[in-house]
Amino acid sequence: MTQGSLRYTLVSFLGKHASLFALYYRRHSRFNRLVVRPDSEIVIEGYPRCANSFSVLAFERAQQRPMHIGHHLHAPAQIALGVKYGIPVLALIREPISAAASLITRHPEITAKQALRQYVSFYECVKRYGDRVVLADFRKITSDYAQVIDAVNRRFNTAFRPYVNSATEDEAVFKEIDSLNSENEGGAENQLARPSEAKNALLQAARWRVEQEPLAARARVVFDQLSAVCV
């Protein structure tokens, strides 16, 4: 097991245990701002590569005011803490083969088996919280996010402003994603948090690796079960 793979295993373990997770991440300044806390206004979390960046940036763009959001740690503990604190929780989901293939393309140190194991673990946690979480599909977020935010408002009696998808608004969000990618990852093609032709070529090989894993079948079952309750 490589060092990167070992670290991923450790982080995945912490993500299943809310108290350990909060203790670890709140002691690391790089991640502290992402951890959900009692004064957060919402948690927006999903498995990696499920439109997390688009969801958070578009949501912030629509609200037009400062707020704290728990996001981008891709851990079931974020969901658990949000429910514990009585905060609105929006969980993001995507078809597992595409999501896992995108993850291992971005992080080649992660194996297909590890990626699928995390997928199943994350969404088994989401299932346990039932109607205390609003669940939205990747495709809905990127096509009709206003409907998702409306569902959050109805479920949690909030008044968040809807984000209305349009070519102009979506492109502004993607430009912000590109800027963050360039700043944080040096603009590497496999690190992009948005579609690109060059990245699509890398994804094809990754999809084949994911589809060969026996755990892919279990991940599909979990996805199908949760798709029935998505916005």
Side-chain angles (χ1 to χ4, degrees), residues 26-101:
R26 285 174 181 154
R27 291 171 60 90
H28 290 73
S29 58
R30 179 183 175 190
F31 303 109
N32 181 54
R33 63 186 177 82
L34 306 178
V35 180
V36 62
R37 60 197 195 203
D39 65 333
S40 300
E41 293 198 38
I42 189 170
V43 178
I44 302 178
E45 271 292 359
Y47 179 84
R49 322 310 292 161
C50 291
N52 289 271
S53 295
F54 186 95
S55 300
V56 172
L57 293 173
F59 187 88
E60 290 177 330
R61 185 175 177 84
Q63 304 321 303
Q64 300 179 352
R65 63 181 177 84
M67 62 169 57
H68 186 265
I69 301 173
H71 66 96
H72 267 96
L73 292 178
H74 312 302
Q78 289 273 81
I79 305 292
L81 289 170
V83 171
K84 175 183 176 181
Y85 296 149
I87 296 166
V89 177
L90 171 59
L92 317 172
I93 193 169
R94 182 182 184 185
E95 183 274 318
I97 304 304
S98 298

Side-chain angles (χ1 to χ4, degrees), residues 42-45 79 88-93 126 129-137 141 147-156 229-231:
I42 189 170
V43 178
I44 302 178
E45 271 292 359
I79 305 292
V89 177
L90 171 59
L92 317 172
I93 193 169
V126 172
Y129 290 109
D131 62 4
R132 287 176 287 179
V133 172
V134 169
L135 185 66
D137 185 88
I141 291 288
Q147 183 179 345
V148 174
I149 295 174
D150 284 344
V152 170
N153 286 333
R154 290 194 303 272
R155 180 73 53 84
F156 299 104
V229 296
C230 279
V231 175

Side-chain angles (χ1 to χ4, degrees), residues 161-229:
R161 293 166 56 96
Y163 173 87
V164 180
N165 295 88
S166 70
T168 301
E169 288 295 310
D170 290 355
E171 184 57 29
V173 174
F174 280 129
K175 283 183 178 179
E176 190 170 357
I177 291 172
D178 286 345
S179 177
L180 290 171
N181 179 72
S182 179
E183 178 183 336
N184 297 327
E185 309 292 350
E189 195 69 40
N190 71 312
Q191 298 291 321
L192 289 176
R194 63 174 290 178
S196 77
E197 290 185 12
K199 193 173 77 170
N200 287 340
L202 298 172
L203 286 170
Q204 294 307 310
R207 284 187 66 90
W208 184 88
R209 287 161 53 199
V210 172
E211 288 170 341
Q212 305 315 302
E213 288 292 334
L215 198 53
R218 176 59 185 157
R220 287 191 180 99
V221 169
V222 172
F223 174 73
D224 289 343
Q225 292 171 338
L226 288 175
S227 291
V229 296

